[in-house]
Amino acid sequence: MKNDFLWGVATSAFQLEGSPHADWSSWDSILSENPDITNHYTMYKEDLALLKDLGVNAYRFSLEWSRIQPRENIWDESVVDHCQEIIEILKGYNVEPMLTLHHFTHPLWFIKKYPWHEEASVEKFLSFVEHIVSSLKGVKYWITFNEPYVLLLGGYLEGCMPPGIKDPALALKALKNILYCHAKAYDIIHKAIPDAMVSVSHNMAALAPWSRWNPLDRILATMAKHFYNHSILDAFLTGQLRIKLPFRKEYIVELPIKDKLDFFGVNYYTRVHVRFNPFKKMCVELRHHDIDGNGLTDLGWEIHPYGLERVLRNASRLKVPLIITENGIATRNPQKKIDFMRKHVDAVEKSIKKGIDVRGYFYWSLIDNYEWLQGLDARFGLYKVDFKTMKRKPTNAAAYYSYLIRSRSDF
Ligand code: FCB
């Protein structure tokens, strides 16, 4: 392994430890039965020791804003100290921290009073960023927002995530405010840490028409690619966000985000087929199919390693280093997890050999955790969690990941 290639695992705070003050806590009844989810908030030392066992040199994790700022004007410094302690432990293990500021969840007071489509959201989020950046020491890699487009689709178009809105106009306003916050957070971080590496983590999917022969499927697939994968890339390249949703006027807004990236975080999981269906919202139906025989995950997502090569090639036009900040599979079958990992790391290797500047790979996730829409059944972990006893047990995929890290010395 080249010393500077980041081999990591990724997690998010809420998915490991929940929070009594988060919007998501009252959203899903499973969380009222088991609010601490994996007990990570108390078992963090034990969990971080697993990183050492794995031999990773990087760890992506997030802050739970609602624990840090449970009420509008109340800051719980003990939670910030807890995060600093995690950073110190990582340093002790020679593991590079990558910190995500926003990973889907919000304090309840924020989402009630200042939802993202309101401009007042910007000031509230940035004061949180200021607070964190001035308090925490020792973090070089920052992710401002995890998957802003997933938040948008779930929270503002489908309504299946908080705040549960289904309104394309509000969705676009929310996206504008979120990307504006990214730009400002980028400046705040760089002012305090000049050599910081800052990005978003963008979920990119391999998108294809359901039928190549159906022009409507093809048009919708092209629109989906432009909206979901590309519009954020273009916004970083030009400072202009252009979004065209089916049957809507193009939305164009100038944003101060041109070049506000030191690397680009790509989250990649699957391929999605796009189909014209007049009975669906905006006439778009999304489907997963096992077309190439690579199989489906327990969540029914198509396993499609070649798609990772494609999205990396697309993202490379940003001309910044790329880091795969998430890639993983929900399965109870460790051999399937091993095959998934090997094939996706092969795709990374091929991309690097073709000249694409990939600097890291983070497997999602370290241990089994709460999955947003599927609860505790989605087993992404390298370590299995028994949600009754909270015991962690390595799957064979954990040993395999360690082996992969040691063996890919020519990256
Ligand atoms: C991604 C999310 C992450 C996790 C994985 C499976 O979209 O960023 O939190 O839920 O999916």
Side-chain angles (χ1 to χ4, degrees), residues 25 53 105 119 147 209 249 263 333 345 360 380:
S25 302
D53 296 349
T105 52
E119 267 175 28
E147 301 184 346
K249 220 173 100 217
F263 69 99
N333 176 342
V345 170
F380 279 96

Side-chain angles (χ1 to χ4, degrees), residues 15 103-104 146-147 203 267 269 326 364 371-372 380:
Q15 289 173 278
H103 197 123
F104 293 165
N146 180 66
E147 301 184 346
N203 185 294
N267 292 357
Y269 286 90
E326 282 181 34
W364 179 277
E371 178 55 29
W372 306 104
F380 279 96

Side-chain angles (χ1 to χ4, degrees), residues 369-403:
N369 55 53
Y370 170 75
E371 178 55 29
W372 306 104
L373 302 180
Q374 291 85 4
L376 302 178
D377 284 336
R379 300 293 185 150
F380 279 96
L382 293 178
Y383 292 82
K384 190 173 160 211
V385 175
D386 176 330
F387 289 105
K388 288 208 173 69
T389 61
M390 294 302 172
K391 286 227 162 69
R392 280 76 162 133
K393 201 172 154 210
T395 67
N396 292 346
Y400 182 74
Y401 193 39
S402 306
Y403 158 78

Side-chain angles (χ1 to χ4, degrees), residues 60-130:
R60 176 177 170 225
F61 65 112
S62 79
L63 294 171
E64 179 48 42
W65 179 11
S66 68
R67 279 187 190 262
I68 294 171
Q69 210 179 348
R71 270 171 278 144
E72 189 170 347
N73 296 312
I74 308 267
W75 298 86
D76 185 344
E77 296 307 334
S78 72
V79 183
V80 182
D81 295 345
H82 177 83
C83 180
Q84 187 63 52
E85 199 192 334
I86 291 179
I87 296 165
E88 300 310 328
I89 295 175
L90 294 176
K91 298 269 165 189
Y93 291 159
N94 277 327
V95 169
E96 183 76 44
M98 179 184 281
L99 187 61
T100 310
L101 289 165
H102 181 281
H103 197 123
F104 293 165
T105 52
H106 309 94
L108 256 180
W109 60 264
F110 171 84
I111 212 71
K112 280 193 178 149
K113 270 176 86 180
Y114 311 97
W116 283 113
H117 55 274
E118 302 287 354
E119 267 175 28
S121 57
V122 169
E123 192 201 319
K124 294 293 157 189
F125 180 72
L126 293 179
S127 80
F128 165 67
V129 177
E130 291 270 9

Side-chain angles (χ1 to χ4, degrees), residues 113-368:
K113 270 176 86 180
Y114 311 97
W116 283 113
H117 55 274
E118 302 287 354
E119 267 175 28
S121 57
V122 169
E123 192 201 319
K124 294 293 157 189
F125 180 72
L126 293 179
S127 80
F128 165 67
V129 177
E130 291 270 9
H131 191 95
I132 293 304
V133 172
S134 62
S135 312
L136 290 180
K137 302 283 165 264
V139 179
K140 177 173 177 186
Y141 287 87
W142 298 79
I143 298 291
T144 55
F145 287 92
N146 180 66
E147 301 184 346
Y149 281 54
V150 173
L151 180 70
L152 209 75
L153 281 176
Y156 283 86
L157 284 170
E158 286 287 318
C160 57
M161 286 162 64
I165 292 171
K166 297 180 188 175
D167 182 332
L170 294 187
L172 294 172
K173 277 191 187 166
L175 182 60
K176 181 188 105 190
N177 289 334
I178 288 173
L179 294 182
Y180 182 83
C181 276
H182 166 81
K184 293 292 156 191
Y186 180 97
D187 292 341
I188 293 170
I189 297 168
H190 270 280
K191 198 164 161 222
I193 311 158
D195 69 338
M197 297 289 284
V198 184
S199 179
V200 292
S201 279
H202 181 46
N203 185 294
M204 296 183 84
L207 288 156
W210 168 242
S211 160
R212 275 170 204 283
W213 313 111
N214 184 335
L216 292 173
D217 289 3
R218 284 215 309 269
I219 291 171
L220 285 182
T222 305
M223 281 177 98
K225 264 186 224 168
H226 180 263
F227 163 62
Y228 195 73
N229 285 345
H230 291 267
S231 58
I232 196 169
L233 305 181
D234 292 333
F236 279 119
L237 286 167
T238 63
Q240 194 182 57
L241 177 69
R242 298 175 79 108
I243 290 190
K244 177 83 186 80
L245 296 174
F247 311 110
R248 300 214 153 232
K249 220 173 100 217
E250 190 172 26
Y251 174 81
I252 305 178
V253 63
E254 306 291 327
L255 284 167
I257 65 168
K258 187 169 173 335
D259 301 329
K260 296 276 162 103
L261 275 184
D262 303 300
F263 69 99
F264 191 62
V266 174
N267 292 357
Y268 176 78
Y269 286 90
T270 188
R271 169 163 65 180
V272 179
H273 283 91
V274 185
R275 186 181 197 204
F276 173 80
N277 181 339
F279 302 107
K280 294 280 177 179
K281 197 182 289 166
M282 293 189 219
C283 297
V284 179
E285 183 182 351
L286 302 174
R287 291 178 156 212
H288 287 285
H289 280 281
D290 179 15
I291 294 198
D292 302 335
N294 285 315
L296 300 174
T297 74
D298 284 0
L299 301 183
W301 299 356
E302 186 192 2
I303 300 170
H304 185 57
Y306 177 61
L308 179 55
E309 282 185 61
R310 282 179 47 201
V311 300
L312 289 173
R313 195 167 57 233
N314 286 333
S316 68
R317 67 191 170 90
L318 285 167
K319 306 264 183 292
V320 291
L322 306 178
I323 295 181
I324 294 125
T325 42
E326 282 181 34
N327 173 241
I329 176 172
T331 175
R332 288 174 188 265
N333 176 342
Q335 191 52 45
K336 213 167 166 182
K337 209 166 261 181
I338 289 172
D339 290 344
F340 179 97
M341 214 185 272
R342 181 175 43 76
K343 288 181 182 163
H344 285 79
V345 170
D346 282 349
V348 176
E349 186 163 358
K350 279 189 200 146
S351 303
I352 294 174
K353 290 202 168 127
K354 285 181 188 154
I356 294 177
D357 185 6
V358 188
R359 305 268 181 100
Y361 174 88
F362 288 69
Y363 179 79
W364 179 277
S365 187
L366 176 62
I367 62 175
D368 289 337

